[in-house]
Amino acid sequence: MRNHEVTNEQQLLDENGKIAEPGWARRPVWKYDRSRIKSPAFRIKEWDYYLVMNEDYAAAFTLSDDGYIGLQSVSLLNFKEKWEHTETILTPLPMGKMKMPSSSSKGDIIYRDKRLRLEFRVDSGRRMISCDFKDFYQGKPFYCEIALDQPDMDTMTIATPWSGKKAFYYNQKINCMPAEGYMSFDNVTYWFSPEKDYGTLDWGRGVWTYDNTWYWGSGNGTVGGRPFGFNIGYGFGDTSAATENILFYGGKGHKLDDVTFHIPEDYMKPWRFTSSDGRFEMEFEPVLDRAASMSAFLVSSDQHQVFGKMSGKAILDGGKFIELKDFMCFAEKVHNRY
């Protein structure tokens, strides 16, 4: 059955290094054990990505160990003034040296070099992001101290194989985490308030194929006095067991089937989203394209993470309509070869 929900706790990988039970879950029921992976260390990819945003500004933070390369990055985005800056530090051949936690619910990640100190800490339902980035842009530093509360709520957890390959994708998306704290750049302090601002975590572990294009969209806000969010996406692996499309409302997940991104040639033109079950039908008005491209030897990346305003309807499991109007979110298309 499509969208197979897995509820039993189990090892992610069987003795052959393949996903034991593909599907989706509301929490991380699969146990990730790096030692069970049958692929070489340079093929293993492990990452934590946080996005904290409101209607006016956002910040994104990545710590990753992608085998033969590590990618540590910070982005600051200003939607009102329509500018963004992303600074990325590449680290050669980490191959497990970063000791990325095997669980999203515990374990700290601390990265330090001459320019950057970036820390992700987890403690009893509260996540802390702390950053000190020297010479972030135009010789000016970037700082932040942000706390994300994680109430008891559903998340989007998925285990996806690649058919006929040892590759796999284990991922958890946590939406609707109230954000509190600040970030500072160029003598401006940007504040986050837990009454209206939210953060998202993209926690992933896996072994990918070399050449991939994925589509991902996510948004958080308050609708009818309750937290509402969504996660949509496709492009990775064999999704016959489950999609990663889901709505969140008041802490409860409402599973969706397929969602299709209709992207114009010009990324800043209006987008459209349609769904196979008719439960996610949206128009998207771009505000800012965080575009980035990189090519070095066998490694290349072409990214368009577009922030903008979503308008349309979403339908919960019981048939309740959620009407969105200028709902701030993002949608992206990313092509990687590495």
Side-chain angles (χ1 to χ4, degrees):
M1 185 178 70
R2 185 73 186 280
N3 289 319
H4 169 60
E5 183 175 356
V6 180
T7 57
N8 295 327
E9 294 192 3
Q10 59 188 279
Q11 288 286 342
L12 173 68
L13 302 177
D14 62 19
E15 62 275 7
N16 297 314
K18 295 185 177 182
I19 293 177
E21 186 177 1
W24 77 281
R26 298 174 190 273
R27 59 187 179 87
V29 297
W30 296 275
K31 181 180 179 182
Y32 173 77
D33 183 348
R34 185 182 171 102
S35 68
R36 297 174 74 96
I37 298 175
K38 301 302 182 182
S39 300
F42 68 83
R43 297 297 304 155
I44 300 173
K45 293 176 171 54
E46 302 174 328
W47 71 94
D48 286 42
Y49 168 89
Y50 285 97
L51 174 67
V52 188
M53 66 180 290
N54 58 29
E55 291 188 348
D56 297 328
Y57 44 82
F61 309 90
T62 301
L63 287 175
S64 70
D65 180 335
D66 294 329
Y68 49 78
I69 194 167
L71 186 150
Q72 328 310 332
S73 75
V74 175
S75 299
L76 175 61
L77 307 101
N78 188 313
F79 304 133
K80 277 195 167 182
E81 299 176 8
K82 297 188 177 180
W83 60 263
E84 64 86 19
H85 182 71
T86 298
E87 198 69 20
T88 300
I89 293 175
L90 300 178
T91 52
L93 301 173
M95 293 200 292
K97 297 187 185 73
M98 289 186 65
K99 305 296 182 185
M100 303 288 282
S102 60
S103 167
S104 63
S105 60
K106 60 184 179 181
D108 300 334
I109 312 173
I110 301 171
Y111 176 85
R112 290 190 178 98
D113 64 23
K114 292 179 180 179
R115 287 182 64 202
L116 172 64
R117 177 188 60 81
L118 181 56
E119 302 180 7
F120 298 162
R121 299 184 181 273
V122 184
D123 183 23
S124 61
R126 192 171 175 86
R127 298 174 180 274
M128 299 295 300
I129 304 168
S130 178
C131 180
D132 178 356
F133 207 139
K134 297 177 176 63
D135 188 17
F136 174 69
Y137 185 49
Q138 296 179 339
K140 301 165 187 173
F142 171 91
Y143 305 99
C144 85
E145 295 287 341
I146 302 169
L148 301 177
D149 281 329
Q150 187 182 341
D152 184 16
M153 59 185 179
D154 288 345
T155 70
M156 179 67 240
T157 309
I158 194 164
T160 303
W162 266 266
S163 182
K165 300 180 184 294
K166 291 181 180 178
F168 69 93
Y169 171 58
Y170 181 37
N171 183 237
Q172 183 184 25
K173 303 283 193 353
I174 305 177
N175 285 66
C176 300
M177 291 187 288
E180 182 175 14
Y182 77 94
M183 51 190 185
S184 176
F185 173 71
D186 195 18
N187 296 317
V188 177
T189 301
Y190 303 85
W191 293 95
F192 291 107
S193 168
E195 290 77 29
K196 63 181 181 63
D197 303 335
Y198 295 94
T200 298
L201 170 63
D202 171 14
W203 184 94
R205 306 291 185 264
V207 176
W208 306 350
T209 51
Y210 171 66
D211 192 330
N212 290 286
T213 298
W214 76 71
Y215 302 82
W216 178 35
S218 181
N220 303 306
T222 304
V223 176
R226 307 180 76 182
F228 171 80
F230 63 83
N231 184 84
I232 53 176
Y234 57 98
F236 257 16
D238 177 4
T239 59
S240 59
T243 75
E244 63 174 270
N245 302 314
I246 194 168
L247 307 172
F248 299 102
Y249 187 62
K252 172 74 172 175
H254 301 258
K255 192 71 185 66
L256 305 176
D257 201 29
D258 290 308
V259 173
T260 302
F261 292 40
H262 303 274
I263 306 173
E265 188 173 334
D266 179 350
Y267 283 88
M268 290 302 291
K269 296 290 186 183
W271 298 24
R272 190 166 56 91
F273 297 83
T274 59
S275 51
S276 60
D277 52 16
R279 295 176 55 191
F280 193 87
E281 304 293 320
M282 297 286 172
E283 303 291 332
F284 178 67
E285 188 69 34
V287 172
L288 182 65
D289 180 7
R290 191 188 71 80
S293 62
M294 178 266 293
S295 181
F297 302 106
L298 296 175
V299 177
S300 67
S301 180
D302 183 17
Q303 307 178 24
H304 287 272
Q305 184 181 32
V306 181
F307 293 80
K309 298 177 179 181
M310 197 82 82
S311 298
K313 69 172 184 178
I315 303 176
L316 305 183
D317 285 344
K320 178 182 175 67
F321 276 64
I322 300 292
E323 295 285 347
L324 298 185
K325 177 65 175 175
D326 296 334
F327 188 84
M328 199 67 193
C329 61
F330 79 88
E332 70 179 27
K333 178 182 179 181
V334 175
H335 178 207
N336 282 332
R337 297 170 73 242
Y338 66 88

